[in-house]
mmCIF file of all heavy atoms in Angstrom:
data_model
loop_
_atom_site.group_PDB
_atom_site.id
_atom_site.type_symbol
_atom_site.label_atom_id
_atom_site.label_comp_id
_atom_site.label_asym_id
_atom_site.label_seq_id
_atom_site.Cartn_x
_atom_site.Cartn_y
_atom_site.Cartn_z
ATOM 1 N N ASN A 55 144.131 80.877 -177.050
ATOM 2 C CA ASN A 55 144.905 82.082 -176.741
ATOM 3 C C ASN A 55 144.222 83.287 -177.399
ATOM 4 O O ASN A 55 143.609 83.164 -178.460
ATOM 5 C CB ASN A 55 146.349 81.971 -177.236
ATOM 6 C CG ASN A 55 147.224 83.072 -176.656
ATOM 7 O OD1 ASN A 55 147.461 83.107 -175.448
ATOM 8 N ND2 ASN A 55 147.686 83.996 -177.487
ATOM 9 N N VAL A 56 144.302 84.423 -176.721
ATOM 10 C CA VAL A 56 143.680 85.644 -177.233
ATOM 11 C C VAL A 56 144.678 86.788 -177.095
ATOM 12 O O VAL A 56 145.385 86.885 -176.089
ATOM 13 C CB VAL A 56 142.408 86.021 -176.431
ATOM 14 C CG1 VAL A 56 141.651 87.155 -177.128
ATOM 15 C CG2 VAL A 56 141.496 84.810 -176.229
ATOM 16 N N MET A 57 144.741 87.657 -178.107
ATOM 17 C CA MET A 57 145.565 88.866 -177.993
ATOM 18 C C MET A 57 144.761 90.103 -178.386
ATOM 19 O O MET A 57 143.770 90.024 -179.103
ATOM 20 C CB MET A 57 146.832 88.784 -178.841
ATOM 21 C CG MET A 57 146.636 89.017 -180.316
ATOM 22 S SD MET A 57 148.217 89.186 -181.219
ATOM 23 C CE MET A 57 148.492 90.952 -181.135
ATOM 24 N N ASN A 58 145.206 91.236 -177.901
ATOM 25 C CA ASN A 58 144.639 92.547 -178.219
ATOM 26 C C ASN A 58 145.375 93.086 -179.442
ATOM 27 O O ASN A 58 146.611 93.135 -179.457
ATOM 28 C CB ASN A 58 144.871 93.453 -176.995
ATOM 29 C CG ASN A 58 144.293 94.840 -177.132
ATOM 30 O OD1 ASN A 58 144.200 95.381 -178.213
ATOM 31 N ND2 ASN A 58 143.951 95.425 -175.994
ATOM 32 N N ALA A 59 144.646 93.468 -180.471
ATOM 33 C CA ALA A 59 145.288 94.011 -181.676
ATOM 34 C C ALA A 59 144.540 95.255 -182.151
ATOM 35 O O ALA A 59 143.357 95.190 -182.471
ATOM 36 C CB ALA A 59 145.328 92.956 -182.783
ATOM 37 N N ALA A 60 145.255 96.355 -182.185
ATOM 38 C CA ALA A 60 144.653 97.601 -182.672
ATOM 39 C C ALA A 60 145.007 97.849 -184.131
ATOM 40 O O ALA A 60 144.309 98.578 -184.819
ATOM 41 C CB ALA A 60 145.129 98.771 -181.824
ATOM 42 N N TRP A 61 146.106 97.244 -184.570
ATOM 43 C CA TRP A 61 146.554 97.445 -185.951
ATOM 44 C C TRP A 61 145.894 96.393 -186.826
ATOM 45 O O TRP A 61 146.470 95.357 -187.152
ATOM 46 C CB TRP A 61 148.079 97.401 -186.020
ATOM 47 C CG TRP A 61 148.680 98.622 -185.423
ATOM 48 C CD1 TRP A 61 148.953 99.794 -186.063
ATOM 49 C CD2 TRP A 61 149.029 98.815 -184.045
ATOM 50 N NE1 TRP A 61 149.447 100.704 -185.155
ATOM 51 C CE2 TRP A 61 149.509 100.147 -183.933
ATOM 52 C CE3 TRP A 61 148.970 98.018 -182.911
ATOM 53 C CZ2 TRP A 61 149.929 100.670 -182.712
ATOM 54 C CZ3 TRP A 61 149.378 98.542 -181.699
ATOM 55 C CH2 TRP A 61 149.862 99.851 -181.619
ATOM 56 N N GLY A 62 144.677 96.682 -187.182
ATOM 57 C CA GLY A 62 143.905 95.771 -188.016
ATOM 58 C C GLY A 62 142.756 96.520 -188.651
ATOM 59 O O GLY A 62 142.314 97.544 -188.126
ATOM 60 N N GLN A 63 142.304 96.012 -189.773
ATOM 61 C CA GLN A 63 141.277 96.756 -190.489
ATOM 62 C C GLN A 63 140.557 95.838 -191.475
ATOM 63 O O GLN A 63 141.134 94.866 -191.965
ATOM 64 C CB GLN A 63 141.946 97.932 -191.235
ATOM 65 C CG GLN A 63 141.039 98.963 -191.803
ATOM 66 C CD GLN A 63 139.933 99.412 -190.873
ATOM 67 O OE1 GLN A 63 138.873 98.811 -190.859
ATOM 68 N NE2 GLN A 63 140.165 100.468 -190.090
ATOM 69 N N ILE A 64 139.314 96.181 -191.757
ATOM 70 C CA ILE A 64 138.573 95.516 -192.826
ATOM 71 C C ILE A 64 139.217 95.900 -194.160
ATOM 72 O O ILE A 64 139.561 97.063 -194.387
ATOM 73 C CB ILE A 64 137.104 95.994 -192.794
ATOM 74 C CG1 ILE A 64 136.388 95.425 -191.569
ATOM 75 C CG2 ILE A 64 136.375 95.656 -194.086
ATOM 76 C CD1 ILE A 64 136.246 93.921 -191.562
ATOM 77 N N CYS A 65 139.416 94.906 -195.025
ATOM 78 C CA CYS A 65 139.865 95.224 -196.388
ATOM 79 C C CYS A 65 138.984 94.405 -197.318
ATOM 80 O O CYS A 65 139.029 93.188 -197.295
ATOM 81 C CB CYS A 65 141.351 94.941 -196.581
ATOM 82 S SG CYS A 65 141.915 93.319 -196.107
ATOM 83 N N ASP A 66 138.185 95.086 -198.091
ATOM 84 C CA ASP A 66 137.138 94.427 -198.866
ATOM 85 C C ASP A 66 135.988 94.094 -197.900
ATOM 86 O O ASP A 66 136.174 94.083 -196.680
ATOM 87 C CB ASP A 66 137.670 93.153 -199.540
ATOM 88 C CG ASP A 66 137.075 92.950 -200.916
ATOM 89 O OD1 ASP A 66 135.995 93.532 -201.169
ATOM 90 O OD2 ASP A 66 137.669 92.220 -201.730
ATOM 91 N N MET A 67 134.844 93.767 -198.435
ATOM 92 C CA MET A 67 133.670 93.573 -197.571
ATOM 93 C C MET A 67 133.746 92.278 -196.759
ATOM 94 O O MET A 67 133.062 92.132 -195.751
ATOM 95 C CB MET A 67 132.380 93.586 -198.409
ATOM 96 C CG MET A 67 132.081 94.927 -199.050
ATOM 97 S SD MET A 67 131.932 96.269 -197.852
ATOM 98 C CE MET A 67 130.240 96.027 -197.313
ATOM 99 N N ASP A 68 134.561 91.333 -197.209
ATOM 100 C CA ASP A 68 134.584 90.043 -196.520
ATOM 101 C C ASP A 68 136.002 89.634 -196.115
ATOM 102 O O ASP A 68 136.287 88.451 -195.949
ATOM 103 C CB ASP A 68 133.957 88.952 -197.409
ATOM 104 C CG ASP A 68 134.751 88.742 -198.694
ATOM 105 O OD1 ASP A 68 135.614 89.592 -199.023
ATOM 106 O OD2 ASP A 68 134.525 87.717 -199.355
ATOM 107 N N LYS A 69 136.867 90.609 -195.965
ATOM 108 C CA LYS A 69 138.245 90.276 -195.578
ATOM 109 C C LYS A 69 138.732 91.223 -194.497
ATOM 110 O O LYS A 69 138.296 92.369 -194.406
ATOM 111 C CB LYS A 69 139.191 90.362 -196.782
ATOM 112 C CG LYS A 69 138.934 89.295 -197.822
ATOM 113 C CD LYS A 69 139.909 89.400 -198.983
ATOM 114 C CE LYS A 69 139.389 88.607 -200.171
ATOM 115 N NZ LYS A 69 138.211 89.232 -200.808
ATOM 116 N N ILE A 70 139.665 90.699 -193.698
ATOM 117 C CA ILE A 70 140.243 91.510 -192.630
ATOM 118 C C ILE A 70 141.754 91.329 -192.671
ATOM 119 O O ILE A 70 142.240 90.242 -193.016
ATOM 120 C CB ILE A 70 139.643 91.094 -191.265
ATOM 121 C CG1 ILE A 70 140.076 92.052 -190.157
ATOM 122 C CG2 ILE A 70 139.961 89.651 -190.895
ATOM 123 C CD1 ILE A 70 139.247 91.925 -188.885
ATOM 124 N N ILE A 71 142.492 92.386 -192.365
ATOM 125 C CA ILE A 71 143.954 92.273 -192.283
ATOM 126 C C ILE A 71 144.388 92.659 -190.873
ATOM 127 O O ILE A 71 143.884 93.627 -190.293
ATOM 128 C CB ILE A 71 144.679 93.116 -193.355
ATOM 129 C CG1 ILE A 71 146.192 92.834 -193.317
ATOM 130 C CG2 ILE A 71 144.410 94.607 -193.202
ATOM 131 C CD1 ILE A 71 146.932 93.250 -194.582
ATOM 132 N N LEU A 72 145.278 91.852 -190.320
ATOM 133 C CA LEU A 72 145.811 92.097 -188.980
ATOM 134 C C LEU A 72 147.321 92.236 -189.088
ATOM 135 O O LEU A 72 147.965 91.491 -189.846
ATOM 136 C CB LEU A 72 145.484 90.912 -188.057
ATOM 137 C CG LEU A 72 144.005 90.541 -187.923
ATOM 138 C CD1 LEU A 72 143.859 89.212 -187.183
ATOM 139 C CD2 LEU A 72 143.229 91.636 -187.208
#
Side-chain angles (χ1 to χ4, degrees):
N55 193 66
V56 190
M57 77 170 269
N58 182 330
W61 288 272
Q63 192 45 272
I64 289 295
C65 52
D66 217 339
M67 294 302 278
D68 63 346
K69 292 181 196 71
I70 188 165
I71 186 162
L72 304 170

